[in-house]
Amino acid sequence: MKKVISTTNAPAAIGPYSQAIEANGMVFLSGQLPIDCTTGNFVAGGVKEQTVQCFINIKAILSEAGLSVDNIVKTTVFLSDMASFAEMNAVYEKQFGGAFPARSAFAVKTLPKNALVEIEVIAVR
């Protein structure tokens, strides 16, 4: 059985998908773009600011599920350019208390709405 997780504290889905789905104690978050849910626009700045906003959105969805970043076991980071990896990584590292989740990171040709970064996570109860 699956449960849809949705909050107004993170951007609404921009397509036919859910912000997150919980199944068997695992919560699967859709990729989060750097959209400020109050404006509906990307945050100003570069990959650093966009990574911060992605995590703001991730934390809001996890909170709706009664979880936190401590529950994250796997992340996937999509970058528009691997030259931005170090800047993204500096922000990423600060999000966790030292027990880092498993991670994959990829450069992709284009992200939705031409974002610089998108991050998806899997969390467990």
Side-chain angles (χ1 to χ4, degrees):
M1 182 158 208
K2 66 181 181 179
K3 175 185 175 186
V4 174
I5 308 294
S6 181
T7 179
T8 58
N9 294 323
I14 58 174
Y17 60 89
S18 299
Q19 289 175 326
I21 295 290
E22 181 170 359
N24 297 322
M26 299 181 71
V27 179
F28 301 86
L29 274 69
S30 294
Q32 293 303 300
L33 293 170
I35 297 172
D36 179 332
C37 72
T38 60
T39 67
N41 297 315
F42 283 160
V43 293
V47 73
K48 175 184 175 184
E49 293 79 9
Q50 288 196 9
T51 303
V52 167
Q53 185 63 48
C54 288
F55 274 102
I56 289 169
N57 298 339
I58 288 165
K59 289 173 184 177
I61 296 167
L62 289 172
S63 178
E64 183 67 24
L67 303 174
S68 73
V69 293
D70 293 334
N71 297 93
I72 296 173
V73 295
K74 173 71 168 79
T75 65
T76 305
V77 178
F78 303 95
L79 294 164
S80 64
D81 186 345
M82 281 306 272
S84 301
F85 182 85
E87 195 172 3
M88 174 281 301
N89 201 47
V91 174
Y92 180 99
E93 181 178 21
K94 293 177 184 175
Q95 305 305 310
F96 302 96
F100 298 106
R103 178 179 74 184
S104 301
F106 302 94
V108 295
K109 183 176 178 182
T110 308
L111 288 166
K113 297 187 168 210
N114 293 315
L116 301 177
V117 62
E118 178 178 1
I119 302 172
E120 68 178 26
V121 305
I122 300 171
V124 295
R125 290 212 174 272

